[in-house]
Amino acid sequence: MIVADYSRPFWPLFLHVVGAMTTVGGIVTVVILSYVAWNRPDAVFLRRATFTALIATIPFYILLRVFAEVMYSDEKDAFGGNDPTWVGIGYITSDAGFLLLLITIGLAFWWKRSSKPVAGRIVAVLSTLLLLLLTVAMLAMSGKWGS
């Protein structure tokens, strides 16, 4: 019987990836719904769905971040004090992305309350920017840039 020796513990990595995938899925939903509702001020359903999708991403973003930190604390000695580039990219995008997510949620709430088209357009642009940040982080993590 062959026993595989994995370099990372299964559950922290699994929960980190589940959090990341669900967060990206929620943000993709927000991007699609906010662009659909771009010129429809009567689209109450779309505003509510966007707000709900944004609120649903926060717990999974926290899950992503917590288990990234768990894995990093277990493996920081393996880096020998010099963190690889992809770890730095992950930290920058997760911190900036969470701030951007909170701003987008605030604007989505404003959009829901005021029904102003400009708020929906700002939500669409900021959620697209957040999706781009998460895509860069995903590419950095999967390609292990600067390892």
Side-chain angles (χ1 to χ4, degrees), residues 76-100:
K76 66 183 172 186
D77 295 334
F79 299 136
N82 296 327
D83 291 340
T85 305
W86 57 271
V87 172
I89 291 171
Y91 274 116
I92 291 169
T93 56
S94 68
D95 293 345
F98 192 67
L99 180 63
L100 193 58

Side-chain angles (χ1 to χ4, degrees), residues 33-114:
L33 291 176
S34 58
Y35 279 112
V36 166
W38 186 282
N39 289 321
R40 296 182 182 185
D42 60 331
V44 176
F45 169 73
L46 294 174
R47 283 195 311 273
R48 287 184 183 157
T50 301
F51 185 68
T52 303
L54 282 170
I55 290 299
T57 58
I58 287 182
F60 291 104
Y61 210 100
I62 292 171
L63 184 75
L64 170 153
R65 190 68 173 94
V66 164
F67 284 99
E69 195 62 39
V70 166
M71 288 187 312
Y72 179 73
S73 68
D74 288 345
E75 296 180 10
K76 66 183 172 186
D77 295 334
F79 299 136
N82 296 327
D83 291 340
T85 305
W86 57 271
V87 172
I89 291 171
Y91 274 116
I92 291 169
T93 56
S94 68
D95 293 345
F98 192 67
L99 180 63
L100 193 58
L101 178 64
L102 293 178
I103 292 169
T104 306
I105 288 172
L107 289 168
F109 186 71
W110 175 46
W111 184 23
K112 180 181 171 188
R113 290 291 208 180
S114 69

